[in-house]
Amino acid sequence: MNKCYSSIAPATFLTTVLFTPLTAIAEEPLQQVDQNYLNELVIRDQGDTAFLQAFEAGDKLSEFDFTANHGVGANIGEGRRFTRFPRADLDGDQEWATHFPKREGGANATSCISCHSAPFANGAGGVAMNVVLDPDHTGDPSQYLERNTTSLFALSIPQRLAEEMSVELYLLREDARQLACAKGSATVALVAKEVAFGSLSLTRISEDPCEVSIDTSQLAGIDADLVVRPFGWKGNHATIRSFTRDAAHNELGLQATELVGAQDGDYDGVIHELSVGDVTALTLYMAALERPVSTVELADIGVIDLAEVQKADIAAGEHLFNTVGCSSCHTPSMTIADPTFSAPSRVAGYADILFPDGSSPEAHGLVSDTAITFDMRLDPPNNQILLGSGGMYHLGALETDAKGKGIACWYSDFKRHDMGPALSDPSDPLGMGASVFLTRSLAGVGSTGPWLHDGRATTLEEAILAHGGEAAVSRNAYAAMSDADAARIVSFLESLILFSADEAH
Ligand code: HEC
Ligand code: HEC
């Protein structure tokens, strides 16, 4: 296992600053981002400029306070534009319950960062920013889902890890298919980045050409298509892009062209509320935001002071975190073989074949030939820290090991687990089990309280003690510890923080 946050990897020291002056998009905050303009830059071999302009445009979009003439909000009914709770009862002509795509909640807000705000922009959110959802339009508050706002930093890390895991799983499935074709049947254990996802059993049902039937009943923590979905508390979205267009619709009432085409699905009199280029820009922005850090790492590079006793407590807590089995789900680190983020993705299952509106991404210029890519180890623009020694430390970029390989300290196995009845949602609209949740990343967890999917835990200790189901054994081991050891685990979790050099000044 690689050591996380060990600020020694030379590959993250930069000699040049990556910013170039921005033009066009950056100066026009309200102008929609034109995907074809970004494509032109890529074609003219200015992919780095395309990336930086998209990042800058995404920054503007995520903090922009949209107004009615941009189409923010929706025609809720009763003359309202926003609602904090679902209104299945408002089902009159063009009202809340008739919008397409079917509303899950909202519209709630006029900017992304009005919820993603703690401890600073793009972070998590307090309980006042919780979202209430009624995807099945039950109109029954006892069935509503409550969701706490998560952080948006460095989302290239979960997406790239999930992409690489899925590729491993696809290959295992293909090997098993060939074996089943040769021998009649085959069973394969699915393991990706050392995480076990159960098994598949394949049976040949016809020869020449060979066809197999696949029994997916023994899969664990993953969907039958073997796409690892690293986003959302339930682990139900594969990509930043798909989450973003749903969030824009449900939370802001901004309906992207790729979601509804030229229709006015929320009856607010505005169409084309977000362009394909806008969604690309938001995607690249969140992908390339600075990664969460640890206080130990900040102390090592001289940004903060940390007493030796605190360092010792954190190290002891990290050790206990591993020995009581927290790390069996919250995997501390994983290697990223190819730390190149690509929008659109080049991995099957992570790029839209068709947009939700039925149009092809190609028709809008979103093609892999002109994909905007960035190197996660070098290109994230933020958190380039000037050291006391005069050197530059690229704290915002993906960590690397001694060989320059990307190391992600995300503290998740990207698998869904049954957390027991006490943590259950009141209803199960996705049909994956009401008490089943994705192992939540602990990267930055010291800065993202309150915790758990509905924000019920006001302290880290409460969050740990609320674990049940598959996590019951390690939760009980934590509960049985001495107070001093339990406090060490919490000190370790508190050392994992969000940090923005811009906010620190
Ligand atoms: C009303 C509050 C609110 C607003 C406004 C909001 N979000 Fe969120 N966001 C949430 C909540 C709550 C979650 C967790 C949802 C879940 O998992 O079901 C979330 C999760 C996300 C995630 C998934 C992160 C992860 O690691 O799983 C992304 C991406 C995201 N939001 C992007 C956006 C963007 C982009 C906007 C603006 C277009 C936006 N959000 C506006 C509340 C909000
Ligand atoms: C069986 C897998 C599993 C094990 C073992 C496990 N966790 Fe978790 N953990 C999860 C899942 C799933 C969630 C999200 C649950 C939810 O939101 O309802 C979570 C959430 C958390 C959170 C809240 C994160 C947030 O952003 O709100 C903390 C803190 C946490 N775990 C710490 C621990 C510690 C410490 C241990 C060991 C004592 C541990 N976990 C053991 C699966 C696990």
Side-chain angles (χ1 to χ4, degrees), residues 132-423:
V132 183
L133 304 171
D134 182 18
D136 285 343
H137 290 195
T138 64
D140 174 358
S142 77
Q143 302 300 295
Y144 292 178
L145 307 176
E146 184 96 21
R147 290 286 179 261
N148 188 240
T149 302
T150 56
S151 132
L152 303 178
F153 286 93
L155 296 188
S156 57
I157 293 176
Q159 187 169 326
R160 261 319 275 150
L161 284 170
E163 288 174 352
E164 290 194 345
M165 291 171 98
S166 291
V167 168
E168 282 189 56
L169 299 177
Y170 301 160
L171 290 174
L172 289 169
R173 181 177 55 194
E174 185 49 32
D175 287 350
R177 184 191 306 275
Q178 286 177 16
L179 197 61
C181 284
K183 304 226 158 139
S185 67
T187 295
V188 59
L190 292 173
V191 179
K193 295 199 192 285
E194 296 174 35
V195 178
F197 290 97
S199 64
L200 287 179
S201 293
L202 294 81
T203 310
R204 188 178 61 209
I205 48 172
S206 73
E207 285 177 73
D208 204 23
C210 170
E211 276 179 55
V212 297
S213 72
I214 304 183
D215 175 0
T216 56
S217 63
Q218 299 307 308
L219 287 177
I222 190 171
D223 293 314
D225 59 8
L226 306 188
V227 175
V228 175
R229 293 185 165 75
F231 298 114
W233 287 99
K234 293 293 255 189
N236 61 326
H237 276 271
T239 65
I240 305 169
R241 184 168 202 113
S242 76
F243 206 107
T244 296
R245 62 185 171 231
D246 276 17
H249 163 58
N250 280 306
E251 313 313 344
L252 300 192
L254 282 181
Q255 298 198 301
T257 299
E258 65 195 64
L259 191 70
V260 292
Q263 313 268 327
D264 181 15
D266 57 359
Y267 306 107
D268 59 4
V270 183
I271 58 170
H272 294 305
E273 298 173 353
L274 283 177
S275 69
V276 169
D278 287 341
V279 182
T280 300
L282 278 165
T283 298
L284 283 160
Y285 176 63
M286 292 181 279
L289 276 174
E290 57 269 41
R291 66 170 170 82
V293 302
S294 97
T295 52
V296 176
E297 182 184 26
L298 291 182
D300 281 353
I301 60 173
V303 172
I304 60 164
D305 289 329
L306 202 58
E308 286 306 318
V309 299
Q310 283 175 293
K311 282 192 195 171
D313 267 350
I314 293 167
E318 183 174 15
H319 179 72
L320 290 165
F321 179 86
N322 294 328
T323 54
V324 299
C326 310
S327 58
S328 68
C329 295
H330 297 285
T331 312
S333 74
M334 288 183 184
T335 306
I336 301 185
D338 177 5
T340 308
F341 184 84
S342 176
S345 171
R346 294 185 162 129
V347 177
Y350 294 85
D352 295 301
I353 296 169
L354 289 179
F355 278 143
D357 80 328
S359 66
S360 79
E362 289 82 0
H364 301 273
L366 192 70
V367 287
S368 66
D369 284 354
T370 48
I372 300 176
T373 63
F374 69 92
D375 186 331
M376 295 157 65
R377 297 165 304 178
L378 298 170
D379 298 338
N382 294 347
N383 274 3
Q384 302 187 32
I385 309 283
L386 197 58
L387 298 176
S389 61
M392 193 70 96
Y393 182 66
H394 200 163
L395 185 62
L398 181 67
E399 288 181 86
T400 51
D401 65 13
K403 292 182 188 139
K405 263 199 142 112
I407 303 294
C409 297
W410 207 250
Y411 296 93
S412 176
D413 55 3
F414 300 99
K415 192 174 158 182
R416 297 192 291 238
H417 297 276
D418 190 333
M419 298 300 283
L423 269 186

